[in-house]
Amino acid sequence: MTVIKRLGSGWMVIAALFFAIMGALVKIGAPYFSAMEMVFYRTILSVVVLGGVAVVTGKSLATPYIKAHLGRGVAGTMGIMLFFYALIHLPLATAVTLNYTSPIFLAILSFVILKERINRATAAVLLLGFMGVIILLRPSIGGEQFVAGLVGLSAGAFAGWAYLQVRELALLGEPEWRVVFYFSAVSAFIAGILAFVDGWHMPQNGQQVLILLGIGVTALIAQLSMTRAYKVGRKFVVASFSYLTVVFSTVLGVLWFAEVLHWQELVGIAIIIISGILGSVLPKKK
């Protein structure tokens, strides 16, 4: 228990590692299952576990903000579906980095939707982030991967939209576990329907079962660790540590998939990480 309390922002290191492993498992499962199926298995375990814990501990699943949860759930579901598609068709580090453009889109959406004023420093960081995107995509996205690259960038945009709604739910006083539960429930429902229309692929052996189980378990551990990190850790340190997912994904891409990143791609990844960290600590208003 003492070790758990001392981890603090270190919970984000755990979250980053398990998010990276989840991404790698999605690539491994791609030959056997569709993106929709893997999204379903990624979220259904969270529904079962969080719902079960709520029932056992006497916590209520009822909420007066069901429309807000549905909106967050749809945006988050779109983000994760597009992210899984990018994971299947792009190098692991590239897909993960594109998904981590979400802070850039969060700042833009805050300006457009919430009418928050952005100062010059933040505007410069946003431009820096998009420069990183251009540098990352230009050498790594060939003709057949161009669509996947746009899909990966769109995943970051939808993730930013989802985070904006999470922030609004937090201001309304909704607990983190309930936000995760309803997101997972909406996502599992939508992905389940789409997978049914496309056609289910049942696991053929123990290895495929472990892949699906691994996607769900790693996602749940990562989600809970991230929530814990933001609750007990320092915001700047937590935001910085979150980008370790890119680092871990780069290592896994090399070790598991023999992926090779050129220096231009590494520069683009570094710029996006720096812009994301700066964007999380710079004030958005004048």
Side-chain angles (χ1 to χ4, degrees), residues 13-80:
V13 179
I14 298 174
L17 175 60
F18 279 94
F19 273 133
I21 295 174
M22 182 206 72
L25 289 173
V26 169
K27 289 188 74 68
I28 293 174
Y32 316 111
F33 309 103
S34 68
M36 298 302 103
E37 290 173 295
M38 288 188 285
V39 170
F40 174 80
Y41 288 110
R42 179 247 188 266
T43 53
I44 193 63
L45 183 64
S46 296
V47 174
V48 174
V49 172
L50 293 177
V53 170
V55 172
V56 171
T57 58
K59 294 180 179 179
S60 176
L61 293 173
T63 175
Y65 309 113
I66 190 65
K67 289 185 178 180
H69 280 291
L70 289 175
R72 183 270 188 268
V74 171
T77 300
M78 288 297 299
I80 194 172

Side-chain angles (χ1 to χ4, degrees), residues 195 220 278:
L220 179 59
L278 291 176

Side-chain angles (χ1 to χ4, degrees), residues 195-211:
F196 178 79
V197 172
D198 186 54
W200 284 95
H201 301 86
M202 298 303 296
Q204 300 299 310
N205 51 52
Q207 180 184 7
Q208 293 181 15
V209 172
L210 289 177
I211 290 173

Side-chain angles (χ1 to χ4, degrees), residues 47-152:
V47 174
V48 174
V49 172
L50 293 177
V53 170
V55 172
V56 171
T57 58
K59 294 180 179 179
S60 176
L61 293 173
T63 175
Y65 309 113
I66 190 65
K67 289 185 178 180
H69 280 291
L70 289 175
R72 183 270 188 268
V74 171
T77 300
M78 288 297 299
I80 194 172
M81 286 179 176
L82 295 173
F83 177 44
F84 275 30
Y85 180 91
L87 282 170
I88 293 172
H89 294 89
L90 293 173
L92 183 59
T94 301
V96 171
T97 304
L98 289 174
N99 192 57
Y100 270 78
T101 58
S102 55
I104 300 174
F105 289 106
L106 175 59
I108 295 174
L109 291 170
S110 297
F111 171 74
V112 174
I113 298 176
L114 301 182
K115 308 302 180 183
E116 292 184 354
R117 302 179 68 182
I118 300 178
N119 58 31
R120 292 181 180 179
T122 302
V125 168
L126 295 179
L127 290 176
L128 178 65
F130 278 111
M131 285 177 57
V133 171
I134 293 172
I135 294 173
L136 172 63
L137 293 185
R138 188 169 183 178
S140 61
I141 303 299
E144 71 282 357
Q145 292 183 319
F146 181 73
V147 173
L150 292 180
V151 168

Side-chain angles (χ1 to χ4, degrees), residues 153-198:
L153 192 60
S154 299
F158 274 102
W161 184 17
Y163 292 145
L164 181 68
Q165 293 171 311
V166 168
R167 188 171 69 179
E168 294 304 301
L169 282 166
L171 292 176
L172 291 172
E174 282 291 82
E176 297 92 342
W177 71 268
R178 193 182 291 158
V179 174
V180 175
F181 172 82
Y182 276 105
F183 155 66
S184 300
V186 172
S187 184
F189 177 76
I190 295 175
I193 291 177
L194 292 177
F196 178 79
V197 172
D198 186 54

